Amino acid sequence: EMWKEKRIFPYTQPVSDIYGLSEAVKIALEDGEDIYRRHKKIGKAVRDTLKQAGFQIYPLEGFESNTVTAFNIPEGIDDVRFRRHLFEKYGVMIAGSWGKLSGRVWRIGHMGENARDDRVFKFFAEFQKALQDFHWDINGNGKKLSEIFAGNL
């Protein structure tokens, strides 16, 4: 009723969100059309890196996103334990999934400021360490995930 009758906003406005949105728009406008090329380049490099390391990308080829990459969790690795370990030990967050894909698919976000070569390179370095902590070796022909990623850029 406060809003409808008196036009008084019923709760504290999220001023920090408005400032954040303003800064994000400013950065996007500075990037211009390059923002799309950067996301496409990073998305493809992430998918190619994961494939070369033996991961199966989800969904099928041709339906991928340039802002998030989903891939199947390696057999024998507990989704929740691994993600908690990755965050607590290495400060890196990845997402699980929901519904039928819960416990079967991980998601790596590479959108906005996370779609930068150096940030994704660091992600792969820490992600590989966590995989090794869980006794899972990548199929990288002796290369580190971060090196594979750098070669895919």
Side-chain angles (χ1 to χ4, degrees), residues 27-40:
I27 291 168
L29 290 173
E30 286 172 358
D31 278 354
E33 290 295 314
D34 284 342
I35 197 168
Y36 300 109
R37 286 185 282 280
R38 178 169 51 90
H39 282 79
K40 184 176 182 178

Side-chain angles (χ1 to χ4, degrees), residues 66-117:
N66 287 328
T67 58
V68 64
T69 295
F71 58 103
N72 291 340
I73 298 170
E75 232 177 274
I77 293 186
D78 179 87
D79 169 34
V80 175
R81 269 189 62 229
F82 180 85
R83 288 187 293 118
R84 184 180 307 121
H85 176 76
L86 180 63
F87 178 69
E88 290 176 355
K89 186 167 183 181
Y90 299 104
V92 174
M93 292 178 72
I94 59 173
S97 197
W98 308 99
K100 291 188 264 186
L101 297 177
S102 179
R104 297 177 47 210
V105 170
W106 284 328
R107 295 174 293 143
I108 302 170
H110 39 80
M111 181 185 339
E113 289 304 297
N114 285 328
R116 303 278 181 200
D117 301 355

Side-chain angles (χ1 to χ4, degrees), residues 14-30:
V15 175
S16 59
D17 289 353
I18 293 168
Y19 283 123
L21 176 61
S22 176
E23 185 64 19
V25 169
K26 178 182 161 194
I27 291 168
L29 290 173
E30 286 172 358

